[in-house]
Each structure stands twice: as C-alpha cells, then as structure tokens.
Amino acid sequence: MATMDVIPDGDRMTVTLWGELDLGSRRLLPDLYDILTLSGSGIDLRLDAVGFCDCSGVNTLLDLRLRALDQGKSLTVRSPGRPVGRVLELTGTKELFTDSGPHALPAFPAQADGDRELRTEVAQLRRAMQTRPTIDLARGILMASFGLSPEAAWSVLVRTSQNTNLKLHHLARDLVGTVRGSTLPERVQQQLAAAVAGAGANTPDDAAAGPSGGPARDGD
C-alpha cells in the first residue's frame, strides 16, 4: 500500500510516495486533495520510490490532476521512477504531468516482457476514460434513488453487469436512459433489484420499480 510524505516548497507542495500505485492507492486521494487545497499553485510528485504502478494508479493521478485544474493549479511528476514512467509512456499521459522546467520527465522505453499485458491495461484505461462520465452518472442515479454510498452504488453496477452479462458501460447507458423514459429489460430489473438489496438499500421490489419510483426503463 502506498504511503506519502509532504514537504512545503514555496507556493507548492512536494509529495513523495512509496509502495504501490494500484487500486488501493485511491485511499490517498482525500489527503492529496487536502494537500492540493493548502498549496498555493499545486503539487510536485516524486514517485521514484514507487515499486509498482498499473492503470488504476494512473487513474488516481488523473483524478488528482483534474482536481488541480479545477482549482487553477497544476500537478507535475518530477521524478517518476521506472515503474511509473513506463506506464505513463505507454498510456500517453506522460505530457499531462510534465512541466517545461529542468525537471521534465525522463523517457522510459517499454520493456519487452509483460508489454502485452500492460498494453491491454492501457486499452482498458482509455476505454474507461471515454465511458466514465456515463458510468459516474449511473452511479449517481443509484445513490440518489436507493440511498447508496458511492462504493455500494459501484458494487451494484458491477454485480448487475456480471449477472446479466452486460458490459458495464452498456448497463450504465441503459440505466441513464431510464431518466429519459425508457425501460430496463425484466432480467436486468431483477438482477438490479437483487444487487440493490444485497447492498443493504431498499427492498428488491423497490429496486425493480426503477430509479424514478415508477417502472424501470429500457436503454437505447
């Protein structure tokens, strides 16, 4: 699990991370958001002590960058280290974390071993970046309709997707379509109801009724 150390540096904050940047690194985001808010112009990351990084870790960095942009600040990676640098190169996101100063990110050529698996992750990341707005909207609908936490709403989407053999972004698209008056197929309603009930929210009958309280609605 990743840990961090923070050192103020003028109007910026220097954050050094250790450990692994994977799905678990998202737990650092609340603290990183606070650090970003306290900074004058943004955060400089030192990641050379990170021993592993996958696309989930890059997603964490992208989320932090978006928050920085919202605040009119910047997020730069001053020393990526080989694991992070390699993934940034392959995902095409390296330039997003590079400044024009003398600390520009060094190039880390991809290694032959394991490139196929990593390139698959890259393709998944790019697809996720395209479909994420719809998925986030569907998760918000579930949260508002059934009183779910963000984590529980995500679990409901994933479980329903698995049990109906629907791609997650297709399920999210259909769920968002219910707001426009369409109806979910009955089998999807049933699996959604079971997933909502399993998440400890409303009853299966309530879930089958659909987010608006009326009949559940179908996607495009």
Side-chain angles (χ1 to χ4, degrees):
M1 297 179 67
T3 57
M4 63 182 176
D5 182 44
V6 184
I7 300 176
D9 184 11
D11 65 344
R12 300 184 66 80
M13 295 286 193
T14 298
V15 177
T16 302
L17 294 179
W18 292 271
E20 299 183 349
L21 282 181
D22 52 16
L23 186 60
S25 63
R26 298 194 65 81
R27 69 180 181 84
L28 298 177
L29 277 176
D31 290 336
L32 288 169
Y33 288 159
D34 289 342
I35 294 167
L36 179 65
T37 300
L38 292 173
S39 70
S41 63
I43 291 176
D44 297 322
L45 291 174
R46 297 191 177 278
L47 306 177
D48 45 305
V50 172
F52 173 82
C53 180
D54 62 11
C55 289
S56 297
V58 174
N59 248 337
T60 298
L61 298 180
L62 290 171
D63 284 345
L64 182 58
R65 178 179 179 272
L66 286 177
R67 180 65 65 94
L69 292 176
D70 287 342
Q71 297 182 12
K73 300 176 182 179
S74 64
L75 174 69
T76 64
V77 176
R78 290 299 178 87
S79 51
R82 181 167 294 277
V84 178
R86 181 167 170 253
V87 177
L88 293 181
E89 289 272 2
L90 287 174
T91 56
T93 55
K94 171 186 171 182
E95 65 275 8
L96 299 179
F97 304 100
T98 307
D99 61 14
S100 58
H103 302 287
L105 294 183
F108 287 92
Q111 300 173 358
D113 294 340
D115 274 358
R116 180 175 301 177
E117 180 179 349
L118 187 53
R119 290 182 187 279
T120 299
E121 288 189 20
V122 169
Q124 292 171 346
L125 173 62
R126 288 174 175 166
R127 183 165 59 249
M129 291 172 66
Q130 294 172 347
T131 60
R132 180 170 176 173
T134 302
I135 293 174
D136 284 347
L137 184 55
R139 186 167 60 170
I141 291 172
L142 292 175
M143 292 166 60
S145 300
F146 306 118
L148 297 171
S149 67
E151 294 78 12
W154 173 254
S155 176
V156 167
L157 282 175
V158 171
R159 184 174 301 178
T160 304
S161 171
Q162 293 172 340
N163 292 341
T164 58
N165 200 28
L166 284 173
K167 291 185 180 297
L168 186 62
H169 64 279
H170 289 167
L171 173 63
R173 178 201 62 195
D174 291 349
L175 185 58
V176 171
T178 65
V179 178
R180 301 192 298 269
S182 57
T183 304
L184 291 172
E186 184 175 354
R187 69 184 183 91
V188 178
Q189 292 183 37
Q190 293 172 350
Q191 293 299 332
L192 179 65
V196 169
N202 296 329
T203 65
D205 289 340
D206 293 331
S212 63
R217 301 162 181 170
D218 197 4
D220 298 329

